[in-house]
């Protein structure tokens, strides 16, 4: 069945600050999500049955959910600031066969420090571009392969974990992703094994009009350590749609570092859910960086399952004219003695929009929780808009929770310091904007990737800083 | 090093400045600094010493309401902050600012090249600059690891002050205003920093030290010691004045000044 080509009908709106007008316009022009649902699920029927019955079962249930769960609109509290109607006006189909991508095309994205790399082209696993032996106790492999081989060492483990943290019932997009369940990455690190070099999961979109459904499952067994880099890139300028689901299981005393880089094309839509479960005395550290996409949304939820957990979430969204980046994070302290630290930064230029909703729940009994959250937003344009909302829900009495949000321009004290050293005002502003971003990028712990992202930020902020 | 023939490099006349909603902090400052001289400014907390140095450096929080400042034959107050620095004015901050995400070396090279370009000198590429900065760091006994760290972020109080002197050494100012550069330094660091300052002294430049303690002045011997109180200089003497202040405190000087201003208010 052939799909109409996607057409963007709606250019960057620069009246985003005028709420009332927005509401009025939405009421008139909101695309009916139903049509989108029909078209986006259409290519699901073309999906070949999985060799594993349990996968077919998961898909079937997910498809049902995808039909019944409502696609979010601005009427939903969680999507109040993020208008998906532009997405709903487009039609995307899943790639049926992988596009041919020459090895040189991915050269700019190679990470020298990462011995393992799995590459996915428009959502389809590309073994010829992937490399790296699975190391001592570490398995980085194709999900489709594990599913296809019932005798695979990880088959039962994957079966037991897949879809448990981010179930299809959790939302329409997760349901759609699961209905297409096939390709993906599995990263498994065995008990007490430490694999500190990063494993690179590279998801590439090659052309407009395609939807891809990246899927990542990370399992860190007790006492193990690993570092995963989930990297979403585009080789085109058109509108693609990435709907990604990542699940991270961190067992007792294990440690996972997770970098998530989103640098899709500026016309694309990127909707991602990442769900993490952290067991006793375990640690999760993530750095999420959003540079691309016309509209990106990350739902990051981290649940502390048992006492003594450490969670660190760092985020950076750099948005320019016509871009919207939305991060909804949820830290669930469901047990005692947990520590969480979160720093989310956004940099806005042109007519852009950033949304941050940082929910922290301290459940009854989660005594001695120590939680600190900071949202810092840097506006370099009068046409940009930030909606930043910390959301603390504390149901235990002996806890330490601090949070704060700042929205503003470049710090005058920092600016004066640079000027007092002879640096020109424009160069000083650019350097401070760059530093604001680099502060997060430097936490990636992957030097070559950080270097490249800093360079990209430098180019983007130079452009943002110069009068246009 | 008093030399009657020396050129004035900084001349402050009747400088008054306010902050925020018009509170006057500088109430008529007069100060003449000639090439080759060392001046020390001492005075009680809150008397306006840092405000004076920040006003001279062009800080936007303050509004000059009266007076003029001639810096190397130019009208300083008409120049934007970055131009003052390029023209050779340096402020060593009492509280150096932390800038997360910007590497110290990156910041200093940009500053160095900005100033060099303005003075008609050569810009340095990262490698050339690295050689230069490492050489300067040696005199200050600073670990090169400080180059890669974010500007002042997580530096101890003393490390920040050394980093200020490093910037001074790179920017080669004609007049350096060092605001409490000695505060928070341990005994060895004080000696090293003082050595750094002395090393940079020449016949054609000058140093103004804002300090609370005589200690630094044992190493960097001042030609003049000024006592600052209530927004202006209330007494000027030689290095022995600093010793006397150390012994007697400020009361014997500032009390009459306070009485004077009370009288002025009564009128
Ligand atoms: N930006 C500002 N906003 C409000 N008040 C200010 C500001 N800057 C200075 N002041 C006030 O002006 C007065 C002089 O401050 P200043 O920092 O110049 O004193 P100082 O002589 O350097 O003191 P110290 O010896 O403690 O460093 C103080 O009362 C201070 O609170
Ligand atoms: Mg002071």
């Amino acid at each position: 069945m052939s799909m109409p080509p996607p057409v963007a009908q709606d250019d960057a709106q620069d009246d985003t600050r005028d709420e009332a007008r927005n509401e009025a316009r939405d009421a008139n022009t909101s695309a009916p999500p139903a049509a989108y649902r029909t078209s986006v699920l259409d290519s699901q029927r073309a999906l070949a049955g999985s060799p594993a019955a349990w996968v077919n079962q998961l898909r079937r249930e997910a498809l049902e959910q995808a039909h019944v769960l409502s696609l979010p609109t601005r009427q939903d509290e969680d999507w109040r600031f993020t208008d998906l109607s532009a997405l709903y006006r487009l039609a995307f189909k899943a790639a049926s066969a992988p596009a041919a991508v020459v090895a040189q095309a991915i050269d700019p994205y190679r990470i020298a420090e990462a011995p393992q790399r799995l590459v996915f082209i428009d959502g389809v696993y590309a073994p010829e571009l992937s490399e790296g032996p699975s190391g001592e106790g570490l398995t980085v492999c194709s999900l489709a392969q594990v599913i296809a081989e019932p005798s695979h060492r990880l088959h039962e483990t994957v079966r037991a974990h897949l879809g448990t943290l981010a179930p299809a019932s959790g939302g329409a997009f997760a349901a759609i992703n699961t209905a297409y369940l096939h390709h993906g990455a599995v990263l498994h690190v065995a008990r007490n094994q430490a694999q500190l070099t990063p494993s690179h999961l590279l998801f590439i979109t090659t052309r407009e009009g395609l939807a891809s459904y990246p899927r990542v499952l990370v399992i860190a067994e007790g006492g193990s350590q690993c570092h995963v880099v989930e990297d979403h890139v585009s080789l085109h300028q058109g509108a693609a749609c990435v709907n990604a689901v990542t699940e991270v299981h961190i067992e007792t005393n294990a440690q996972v570092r997770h970098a998530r880089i989103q640098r899709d094309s500026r016309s694309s839509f990127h909707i991602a859910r990442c769900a993490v479960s952290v067991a006793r005395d375990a640690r999760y550290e993530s750095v999420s960086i959003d540079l691309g996409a016309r509209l990106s949304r990350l739902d990051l939820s981290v649940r502390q399952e048992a006492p003594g957990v450490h969670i660190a979430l760092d985020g950076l969204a750099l948005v320019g004219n016509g871009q919207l980046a939305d991060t909804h994070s949820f830290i669930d302290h469901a047990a005692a003695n947990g520590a969480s630290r979160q720093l989310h930064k956004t940099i806005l230029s042109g007519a852009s929009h950033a949304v941050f909703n940082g929910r922290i729940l301290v459940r009854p009994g989660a005594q001695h929780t120590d939680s600190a959250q900071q949202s810092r937003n840097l506006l370099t344009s009068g046409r940009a808009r930030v909606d930043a909302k910390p959301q603390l829900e504390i149901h235990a009495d002996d806890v330490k929770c601090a949070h704060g949000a700042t929205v503003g321009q470049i710090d005058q004290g920092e600016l004066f310091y640079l000027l007092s050293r002879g640096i020109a005002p424009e160069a000083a502003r650019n350097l401070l904007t760059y530093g604001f971003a680099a502060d997060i990028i430097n936490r990636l712990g992957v030097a070559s990737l950080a270097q490249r992202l800093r360079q990209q930020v430098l180019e983007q902020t130079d452009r943002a800083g110069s009068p246009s | 090093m008093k030399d009657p023939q020396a050129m004035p490099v900084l001349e402050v006349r009747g400088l008054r400045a306010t902050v925020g909603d018009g509170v006057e902090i500088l109430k008529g400052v007069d100060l003449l600094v000639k090439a080759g001289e060392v001046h020390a400014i001492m005075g009680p907390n809150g008397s306006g010493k840092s405000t004076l140095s920040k006003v001279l450096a062009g800080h936007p929080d303050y509004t000059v309401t009266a007076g003029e400042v001639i810096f190397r034959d130019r009208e300083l107050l008409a120049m934007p902050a970055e131009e003052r620095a390029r023209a050779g004015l340096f402020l060593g901050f009492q509280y150096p600012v932390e800038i997360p995400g910007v590497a110290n070396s990156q910041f200093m090279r940009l500053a160095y090249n900005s100033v060099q370009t303005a003075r008609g000198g050569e810009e340095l590429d990262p490698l050339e600059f690295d050689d230069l900065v490492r050489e300067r760091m040696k005199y200050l006994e600073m670990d090169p690891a400080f180059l890669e760290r974010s500007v002042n972020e997580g530096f101890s109080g003393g490390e920040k002050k050394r980093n200020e002197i490093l910037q001074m050494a790179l920017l080669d100012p004609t007049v350096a205003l060092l605001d409490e550069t000695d505060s928070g330094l341990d005994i060895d660091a004080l000696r090293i920093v003082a050595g750094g300052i002395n090393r940079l002294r020449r016949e054609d430049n000058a140093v103004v030290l804002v300090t609370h303690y005589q200690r630094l002045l044992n190493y960097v011997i001042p030609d003049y010691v000024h006592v600052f109180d209530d927004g202006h200089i209330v007494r000027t003497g030689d290095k022995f004045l600093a010793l006397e202040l150390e012994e007697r405190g400020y009361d014997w000087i500032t009390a009459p000044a306070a009485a004077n201003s009370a009288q002025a208010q009564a009128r």
Side-chain angles (χ1 to χ4, degrees), chain B residues 49-50 94 179-180:
Chain B
K49 305 178 299 295
S50 294
Q94 181 176 2
D179 192 358
E180 295 201 29

Side-chain angles (χ1 to χ4, degrees), chain A residues 74-327:
Chain A
R74 288 190 52 194
Q75 265 67 57
D76 297 284
E77 180 59 28
D78 267 356
W79 293 82
R80 210 149 66 86
F81 300 112
T82 299
D83 184 358
L84 290 172
S85 53
L87 169 66
Y88 296 152
R89 274 196 281 274
L90 302 179
F92 297 96
K93 59 176 179 177
S96 41
V101 169
V102 291
Q104 292 93 298
I106 68 163
D107 280 350
Y109 303 108
R110 286 176 200 274
I111 295 175
E113 296 91 332
Q116 287 87 15
R117 183 181 62 246
L118 295 188
V119 179
F120 298 82
I121 305 293
D122 299 315
V124 180
Y125 177 53
E128 69 286 357
L129 297 172
S130 303
E131 66 180 18
S134 287
E136 188 77 6
L138 174 79
T139 311
V140 184
C141 64
S142 149
L143 174 64
Q145 184 196 335
V146 175
I147 288 172
E149 296 171 22
S151 62
H152 193 287
R153 205 163 42 81
L154 293 177
H155 188 93
E156 285 310 316
T157 308
V158 166
R159 176 182 184 167
H161 289 84
L162 198 63
T164 56
L165 297 179
S169 56
F173 288 103
I176 295 168
N177 175 290
T178 309
Y180 279 96
L181 189 66
H182 183 38
H183 287 291
V186 175
L187 191 148
H188 178 269
V189 52
R191 182 167 293 279
N192 294 333
Q193 297 289 334
Q195 188 69 36
L196 299 175
T197 56
S199 300
H200 189 195
L201 310 178
L202 181 60
F203 295 92
I204 302 176
T205 67
T206 63
R207 59 199 161 94
E208 65 176 351
L210 290 183
S212 59
Y213 301 99
R215 187 91 199 190
V216 177
L217 177 64
V218 177
I219 300 166
E221 287 190 355
S224 69
Q225 293 179 46
C226 67
H227 189 171
V228 55
V229 178
E230 184 185 338
D231 193 5
H232 298 268
V233 310
S234 296
L235 298 180
H236 63 105
Q237 303 299 316
C241 179
V242 176
N243 171 350
V245 173
T246 298
E247 295 169 290
V248 182
H249 296 261
I250 311 175
E251 295 174 2
T252 303
N253 208 23
Q255 301 185 15
V256 172
R257 294 182 78 174
H258 182 189
R260 189 174 198 290
I261 320 294
Q262 184 275 106
R263 32 183 174 163
D264 282 331
S265 84
R266 293 270 295 249
S267 312
S268 287
F269 295 83
H270 185 106
I271 297 190
R273 171 174 296 277
C274 175
V276 184
S277 137
V278 192
R280 176 180 279 270
D281 296 328
R283 193 176 181 100
Y284 177 68
E285 287 175 32
S286 88
V287 180
S288 308
I289 296 177
D290 281 287
L291 301 176
R294 167 184 179 174
L295 184 156
S296 67
R297 163 76 174 229
L298 171 63
D299 279 280
L300 170 58
S301 54
V302 185
R303 183 177 158 95
Q304 176 194 350
E305 311 281 358
V309 152
H310 189 100
I311 297 161
L313 308 183
D314 289 304
L316 169 69
L318 182 68
V319 285
N321 205 29
Q323 286 183 290
L324 180 155
D326 177 350
T327 299

Side-chain angles (χ1 to χ4, degrees), chain B residues 55-56 64 68-70 74-81 83-84:
Chain B
V55 166
L56 293 176
V64 173
E68 63 176 345
V69 180
I70 308 298
R74 294 178 67 184
E75 180 50 69
L76 186 79
L77 299 175
M79 297 155 70
E83 244 181 75
R84 300 181 194 195

Side-chain angles (χ1 to χ4, degrees), chain B residues 14-158:
Chain B
L15 184 65
R16 290 177 170 266
T18 57
V19 68
D21 39 13
V23 181
E24 185 165 65
I25 301 190
L26 297 185
K27 304 176 180 174
V29 180
D30 295 290
L31 178 67
L32 174 64
V33 180
K34 291 181 181 170
E37 293 178 346
V38 174
H39 290 242
I41 296 179
M42 305 181 81
N45 293 132
S47 57
K49 305 178 299 295
S50 294
T51 301
L52 173 64
S53 53
K54 282 191 273 184
V55 166
L56 293 176
H59 198 290
D61 280 358
Y62 306 94
T63 311
V64 173
T65 52
E68 63 176 345
V69 180
I70 308 298
F71 178 67
R72 303 178 74 189
D73 297 329
R74 294 178 67 184
E75 180 50 69
L76 186 79
L77 299 175
M79 297 155 70
E82 69 277 12
E83 244 181 75
R84 300 181 194 195
R86 293 169 187 177
L89 185 77
F90 179 85
L91 168 59
F93 283 60
Q94 181 176 2
Y95 304 108
V97 178
E98 299 192 3
I99 307 180
V102 175
N104 214 16
S105 58
Q106 186 181 19
F107 156 63
M108 289 194 201
R109 189 168 76 89
L110 182 58
Y112 178 84
N113 283 340
S114 303
V115 164
Q116 281 295 105
T117 312
R119 296 178 188 165
E122 290 281 303
E123 287 198 27
L124 296 184
D125 69 26
L127 287 179
E128 294 166 330
F129 181 75
D130 198 56
D131 288 344
L132 174 73
V133 73
R134 277 169 194 266
E135 179 213 300
R136 300 288 152 92
M137 287 176 99
K138 251 187 239 150
Y139 305 134
L140 295 168
E141 299 182 27
M142 276 179 83
D143 186 338
F146 284 105
L147 290 174
E148 298 321 310
R149 287 173 57 178
S150 292
V151 178
N152 293 323
E153 192 189 28
F155 287 25
S156 76

Side-chain angles (χ1 to χ4, degrees), chain B residues 4-16:
Chain B
Q5 304 300 312
M7 292 284 293
V9 283
L10 176 70
E11 190 169 1
V12 181
R13 289 193 216 119
L15 184 65
R16 290 177 170 266

